[in-house]
Amino acid sequence: MDNGSGYDVYLGHWINWSRGPILGSTLTMTRTNGNLLIAFLAFFVAIVAARFWRIVCLLVHFRLSSDQPCDALYHQRQAVLRNASNPEEGFWTFLDLILAWRKSSRRPFLRLVPPLLLAATCMVIFTVAGGFSSMVQLSADDVGSEVLLTGKACIPHNIILPKNMTSYDYEAIWYPYLAREHGDYSDYAQQCSNSKQGGAGILKCGTFVQQKIDFQTNYSAGCPFGGKLCKSNDSNIFIDTGYLDSHEHFGLNAPPDQRVLVRKTLHCAPLVTEGYKDTFNTTPSRSYTRYYYGQSRDFNFTTRELYLQNFTYKYSNDYRDRNQNLMASYSVGWHGSFKTKGNEILGSSFKPIPELDVPNANVYLIFLSANQVRFAQETHDPWYTATTLAGPRVNLNTDKSDLQVYWMDEPASPLGCTEMMQFCNPSLPAGSPNRCTPLAGSFDPDDITPLFTSPGSSPSAAELELNADRIKWVADAVDGPSVSSLMMNLGAQSLTSRYSVRQGLQGPLPTNQWQRDVEHWMNSILAGNQAMFVRTAAGPTESSVKPFYAPTDTLTPTERNLCASQKILSTEYASFSVLGVVLTLVLGAVIIMLSMSLEGLLGCLSRRLYGELTYAQLEWCTNETLQLQRQVQEGLFGLGSWVGATNNVPRTKMSTQRLGVLDLADRGHPRWGRPESLEDQNWDALDHDMKKEKTELTRHNTDEITMVGKLDSGLDLRSSFSRGSTMDSNMSKSWKV
């Protein structure tokens, strides 16, 4: 295990179910060890290339072998095939032969180009193979390898909010932590939707298995509500994520039959205010605008009880008055109505009017106030509408009032949204009536569990628990970040229009700015869903909030397994395909062993079939570098008494025998020459041969005494010659014979 990247990453073998049980067999190691493995594989492939070339040369050499007298080019070609240690050496040597013989030999191109091309082909194949050997490392668009978290610091999804916590703990620790997390979600959506750089901490753009989850957007959707509540019936926005796979999109590593599909929709429209608002005067000079889209709930801190108000939202009409000290920035207020199975659940902050009430959907009202933000030009975006003239603005650089600016028309411009989710079992066939739940605002995990129980089956208690834990795990993660949590924790910080506000002046906005905001919300929500999966497996990013979560020992065995099944992307670790590494090593080892044994196997086969080596095999043996050297010494000058003439390494019978030297009389044409004096060496060789023959005859033919005597008399002849003898060279040769 390693903790160098801030995540406790599992090092070793695991199955990445994105690639299946065989192709997905994965080995994760540190980046340093991964680089060493890649270097080793590249070196290994180079060795395999040389051994493969050896096999090719053997077969071609045999194929071109001829027992008829041939020219020098034939013998040089055969010698190159026998002795070129790798395809690169063979290529350049064949090229040299072509250049040398192009004008003085018979058909040099026809005889040399094929082996030249063969060498070039081997070079290209194994150069590419060397490059592809690094592809056994599994990566995703150069942003890192998929790795598995250990889950050691895993925390349950549920928050316990301990009773011994003080108000300070909530206000100073917990709520700021939630705000920072949602700020990370928003920043991630802003920075990483179209970029592979940026981000920090848990929200690095290269952390999640999918940098951005795509969704389908309809910019011409109808009104999500009844009556005439929407400002437009054909220019609203509807976002549909489609079916998101818990494995592919959120990184929860699991085989296909253990995955969960999730679908989210968000349907929004700016709302009309005429007929749904009035003005409420608090003093003769102060008033509020109240909006009536349903009764809102408020909390009475005296009685510690919730109570209903007959209006939904109110906002001061004095936002343009500088004496109110309102900030020159946006503010956002919101209300939500949450439902499951058509019934409103705890947490709803208002009860929508019938026209606004959508069965089974979470309904949101989001009120946008510009306060003292003024607009550089008239804005006709239906949520940001600003056509009320605010007068000229003084240019601080010229002290001239040369810019007409505008106020936002509505004190609090309302936007209505419906949010729904759906869960599906991907193991069931498409179109199956029990494959998916209906679209709904909120879910009880118990309502999802039946999807993962086969009809008519009687699952064991363990299977039911496994399904329930897995579904609850996914449901809690995707149900966390939502429109309500964004509004609660970020408010106006969730608006993308704020990026073009400077010193209280809003730059030009497009007419669909509100749709851009809604898209940004969905990107932020999906980023938060991804982060929830990772944060749960890796533990909270801040240790101060750990007491707010249930203890780790409350995790069930299934939940612990899910903790250890979370994937992320990391550039600090390297994951390799076990199948790729094994195939590379096994195929390479087969080629190496074949190249080292093929010559011997063919020799054994030839002796079994013909009783001796074929001409092609003998030519292959004698064309070897050391055998060519033996032939030069033995064939031209009769130097040395040699053994192993068909082996890889020939040798002289006596290690003290001296061979020829270079004759440099013509340095432009060096050649081997005969030493000046060879008598002593020849007599030593004669002694050695006769003594060996005598020993063998004595051992095996003890009755042949006369033959031994002859040999003794022959050996005594040496004493009659001194080292300074001037015997004629022909006499020396006759003694050798």
Side-chain angles (χ1 to χ4, degrees):
M1 314 306 172
D2 198 278
N3 199 34
S5 67
Y7 296 103
D8 201 0
V9 173
Y10 175 77
L11 301 180
H13 177 262
W14 57 285
I15 301 297
N16 187 340
W17 288 102
S18 295
R19 300 165 58 86
I22 298 177
L23 294 178
S25 184
T26 303
L27 178 66
T28 298
M29 57 182 64
T30 62
R31 175 62 60 183
T32 300
N33 291 339
N35 291 337
L36 291 175
L37 178 59
I38 291 174
F40 168 76
L41 291 177
F43 178 72
F44 181 75
V45 169
I47 295 176
V48 173
R51 304 314 303 178
F52 181 81
W53 170 250
R54 181 79 169 180
I55 295 173
V56 171
C57 287
L58 175 66
L59 299 178
V60 174
H61 188 284
F62 281 15
R63 177 66 181 84
L64 297 178
S65 179
S66 173
D67 58 0
Q68 301 298 316
C70 297
D71 59 7
L73 180 57
Y74 165 84
H75 291 285
Q76 289 181 346
R77 181 186 64 189
Q78 295 293 84
V80 172
L81 288 172
R82 179 63 178 88
N83 296 295
S85 59
N86 53 61
E88 293 83 3
E89 181 182 351
F91 177 84
W92 291 113
T93 307
F94 282 125
L95 187 61
D96 288 341
L97 289 178
I98 291 175
L99 295 177
W101 290 98
R102 67 185 185 278
K103 296 181 180 179
S104 56
S105 180
R106 183 175 60 88
R107 298 181 300 171
F109 292 98
L110 183 62
R111 299 163 68 185
L112 294 175
V113 167
L116 177 76
L117 294 178
L118 193 60
T121 301
C122 289
M123 287 172 55
V124 171
I125 290 175
F126 282 96
T127 299
V128 173
F132 274 98
S133 65
S134 64
M135 294 186 67
V136 298
Q137 180 180 353
L138 304 173
S139 61
D141 297 331
D142 300 326
V143 297
S145 297
E146 287 190 346
V147 298
L148 201 65
L149 299 181
T150 64
K152 283 184 174 180
C154 189
I155 55 173
H157 282 293
N158 55 308
I159 301 167
I160 58 172
L161 302 179
K163 294 181 180 180
N164 61 345
M165 293 292 178
T166 65
S167 296
Y168 175 85
D169 294 324
Y170 291 116
E171 300 293 341
I173 299 177
W174 181 246
Y175 296 145
Y177 169 73
L178 293 179
R180 286 192 296 273
E181 281 221 321
H182 282 77
D184 283 342
Y185 306 157
S186 179
D187 291 343
Y188 183 94
Q190 184 68 22
Q191 297 173 13
C192 303
S193 293
N194 298 303
S195 169
K196 293 186 178 179
Q197 304 297 327
I202 193 174
L203 294 178
K204 290 180 181 178
C205 293
T207 296
F208 302 142
V209 292
Q210 287 203 14
Q211 178 176 298
K212 178 181 182 295
I213 296 179
D214 295 319
F215 48 76
Q216 297 296 320
T217 305
N218 180 2
Y219 300 102
S220 303
C223 180
F225 308 109
K228 298 181 179 180
L229 273 177
C230 299
K231 287 186 175 181
S232 170
N233 288 320
D234 57 8
S235 59
N236 302 302
I237 188 170
F238 178 75
I239 297 175
D240 190 341
T241 64
Y243 295 105
L244 306 179
D245 192 303
S246 60
H247 172 91
E248 298 294 340
H249 295 91
F250 298 116
L252 191 60
N253 192 44
D257 61 343
Q258 296 180 18
R259 301 177 188 178
V260 180
L261 298 182
V262 182
R263 178 188 176 198
K264 287 193 170 189
T265 65
L266 185 60
H267 195 177
C268 297
L271 304 181
V272 297
T273 57
E274 292 302 320
Y276 295 94
K277 69 177 180 179
D278 67 9
T279 301
F280 172 74
N281 293 316
T282 56
T283 68
S285 59
R286 296 284 181 259
S287 65
Y288 285 86
T289 295
R290 295 192 297 197
Y291 298 90
Y292 296 88
Y293 298 101
Q295 293 179 308
S296 63
R297 291 182 173 88
D298 204 351
F299 186 74
N300 188 322
F301 286 92
T302 302
T303 63
R304 311 293 293 177
E305 293 179 349
L306 288 172
Y307 67 96
L308 290 174
Q309 301 181 112
N310 63 354
F311 61 88
T312 309
Y313 189 74
K314 67 179 182 179
Y315 204 79
S316 173
N317 293 326
D318 306 315
Y319 60 92
R320 301 172 185 172
D321 186 351
R322 290 182 179 272
N323 293 326
Q324 296 300 304
N325 294 321
L326 295 175
M327 296 295 294
S329 59
Y330 293 106
S331 60
V332 167
W334 71 282
H335 280 291
S337 174
F338 311 109
K339 296 186 182 69
T340 180
K341 298 180 182 179
N343 300 316
E344 194 174 67
I345 62 175
L346 184 66
S348 298
S349 61
F350 88 115
K351 188 174 183 179
I353 59 177
E355 302 97 307
L356 200 65
D357 193 18
V358 178
N360 294 326
N362 291 340
V363 177
Y364 299 101
L365 284 178
I366 303 163
F367 294 90
L368 172 66
S369 299
N371 300 314
Q372 290 187 6
V373 173
R374 283 167 286 183
F375 292 73
Q377 63 183 32
E378 283 193 27
T379 302
H380 298 283
D381 177 285
W383 198 34
Y384 287 84
T385 306
T387 59
T388 303
L389 190 63
R393 178 182 172 94
V394 176
N395 189 318
L396 298 179
N397 294 323
T398 62
D399 291 331
K400 294 181 180 180
S401 302
D402 55 2
L403 177 64
Q404 287 290 347
V405 293
Y406 300 84
W407 294 114
M408 190 169 172
D409 294 352
E410 199 68 46
S413 180
L415 180 74
C417 294
T418 62
E419 183 182 48
M420 304 181 82
M421 283 195 303
Q422 186 179 32
F423 293 87
C424 298
N425 182 354
S427 299
L428 297 178
S432 173
N434 297 320
R435 186 173 190 263
C436 298
T437 64
L439 278 166
S442 301
F443 279 94
D444 185 329
D446 292 338
D447 299 332
I448 310 171
T449 303
L451 297 179
F452 295 83
T453 303
S454 302
S457 64
S458 299
S460 63
E463 291 174 329
L464 289 174
E465 181 182 0
L466 186 148
N467 287 335
D469 287 344
R470 185 170 71 248
I471 293 164
K472 185 178 184 300
W473 191 270
V474 175
D476 286 345
V478 299
D479 195 33
S482 62
V483 173
S484 61
S485 67
L486 283 178
M487 296 302 110
M488 186 183 300
N489 291 285
L490 296 183
Q493 297 300 306
S494 66
L495 304 174
T496 58
S497 57
R498 66 187 176 91
Y499 294 110
S500 56
V501 176
R502 184 176 183 271
Q503 293 184 342
L505 183 66
Q506 173 65 68
L509 294 177
T511 57
N512 68 335
Q513 174 61 41
W514 74 275
Q515 293 182 334
R516 295 186 180 185
D517 288 335
V518 174
E519 284 188 298
H520 177 68
W521 295 343
M522 180 56 84
N523 278 322
S524 301
I525 290 169
L526 294 176
N529 294 150
Q530 291 175 291
M532 284 288 287
F533 280 93
V534 175
R535 187 202 66 186
T536 302
T541 55
E542 299 179 22
S543 59
S544 60
V545 300
K546 287 184 178 180
F548 289 87
Y549 291 94
T552 303
D553 56 13
T554 61
L555 292 169
T556 67
T558 301
E559 289 175 331
R560 291 185 181 278
N561 182 60
L562 292 169
C563 285
S565 300
Q566 184 61 47
K567 295 190 298 181
I568 63 170
L569 297 179
S570 175
T571 57
E572 299 186 24
Y573 299 89
S575 290
F576 294 87
S577 168
V578 173
L579 179 64
V581 173
V582 170
L583 284 179
T584 300
L585 296 177
V586 169
L587 292 178
V590 169
I591 291 174
I592 291 173
M593 289 188 292
L594 182 62
S595 71
M596 298 179 69
S597 60
L598 183 59
E599 184 179 344
L601 291 175
L602 292 177
C604 292
L605 182 63
S606 179
R607 290 187 178 92
R608 180 174 291 273
L609 294 177
Y610 310 114
E612 59 184 3
L613 296 178
T614 64
Y615 182 87
Q617 291 170 319
L618 290 172
E619 185 181 23
W620 173 263
C621 294
T622 56
N623 274 334
E624 200 274 331
T625 302
L626 298 179
Q627 293 292 356
L628 290 174
Q629 186 183 58
R630 173 190 64 80
Q631 294 172 64
V632 169
Q633 300 288 344
E634 186 179 46
L636 295 180
F637 310 116
L639 298 180
S641 180
W642 297 83
V643 294
T646 58
N647 298 335
N648 289 331
V649 180
R651 57 185 179 82
T652 57
K653 293 181 179 179
M654 294 182 59
S655 61
T656 57
Q657 286 184 279
R658 290 173 293 170
L659 304 178
V661 296
L662 282 177
D663 181 356
L664 300 180
D666 183 356
R667 289 184 174 270
H669 191 106
R671 57 184 178 181
W672 287 103
R674 179 185 180 84
E676 293 181 358
S677 176
L678 295 176
E679 288 83 357
D680 292 341
Q681 180 172 304
N682 291 337
W683 281 116
D684 289 341
L686 184 60
D687 284 349
H688 181 273
D689 291 345
M690 288 185 173
K691 287 178 180 178
K692 182 176 180 180
E693 186 175 355
K694 176 183 176 181
T695 302
E696 292 176 353
L697 289 174
T698 302
R699 184 184 304 121
H700 301 292
N701 301 291
T702 54
D703 295 334
E704 302 293 334
I705 302 301
T706 55
M707 182 61 183
V708 174
K710 292 179 180 180
L711 288 172
D712 287 337
S713 62
L715 290 173
D716 292 337
L717 288 174
R718 183 182 178 191
S719 61
S720 64
F721 296 95
S722 66
R723 292 189 180 273
S725 174
T726 57
M727 181 181 291
D728 185 77
S729 60
N730 291 331
M731 182 66 70
S732 298
K733 292 180 182 179
S734 66
W735 277 112
K736 181 180 179 185
V737 174

